[in-house]
Amino acid sequence: QVQLLESGGGLVQAGGSLRLSCAASGFTFSSYAMGWFRQAPGKELEFVAAISWSVEKTYYADSVKGRFTISRDNAKNAVYLQMNSLKPEDTAVYYCAAGSRVAPSSSNYYIPQSYDDWGQGTQVTVSS
């Protein structure tokens, strides 16, 4: 049974930092691309960042490039999202996602339909 469990969300002031973690189980983690998406109230699900199974490639939304860093530890079956210089517009529920068929097309990393499994989400709130 695939499980993705996000943690690390919370309330932070603008300019602050948070590190999200996603613990994975129930599948061969090292063979899956991993992504982070977010959804703000009243808005559609939005791509944030993704990382290939081999850690060689990372992808970022323009809105977070230079502020957020995605990483993974295949030995620990975990993926992380380091979020720095947070802005109020980063406020959303953040979801971890796993995809076995994302590669090799780079464009697939950006779309939710490429991912097979999702976590329950963790709330990030950035106050101004």
Side-chain angles (χ1 to χ4, degrees):
Q1 180 182 0
V2 173
Q3 284 194 324
L4 298 170
L5 184 61
E6 302 96 335
S7 61
L11 174 64
V12 64
Q13 288 188 333
S17 299
L18 283 175
R19 187 191 193 214
L20 304 184
S21 299
C22 175
S25 62
F27 63 102
T28 307
F29 179 78
S30 59
S31 298
Y32 279 60
M34 298 298 296
W36 286 96
F37 290 77
R38 66 187 182 186
Q39 189 167 25
K43 295 189 176 181
E44 294 186 352
L45 191 64
E46 176 189 24
F47 170 78
V48 176
I51 187 167
S52 64
W53 65 270
S54 64
V55 196
E56 290 182 353
K57 297 180 180 180
T58 56
Y59 305 84
Y60 296 93
D62 288 342
S63 58
V64 307
K65 206 170 289 184
R67 300 188 298 122
F68 290 11
T69 303
I70 188 171
S71 62
R72 66 188 294 164
D73 186 336
N74 287 343
K76 295 184 178 180
N77 285 4
V79 62
Y80 308 99
L81 186 68
Q82 178 66 45
M83 306 186 295
N84 299 328
S85 302
L86 282 161
K87 304 175 181 180
E89 50 264 44
D90 294 319
T91 295
V93 176
Y94 283 70
Y95 297 93
C96 170
S100 62
R101 296 168 285 109
V102 177
S105 174
S106 297
S107 61
N108 285 347
Y109 284 88
Y110 298 87
I111 57 176
Q113 292 84 351
S114 299
Y115 295 82
D116 307 304
D117 299 286
W118 295 78
Q120 84 291 345
T122 185
Q123 176 71 47
V124 171
T125 303
V126 184
S127 63
S128 57

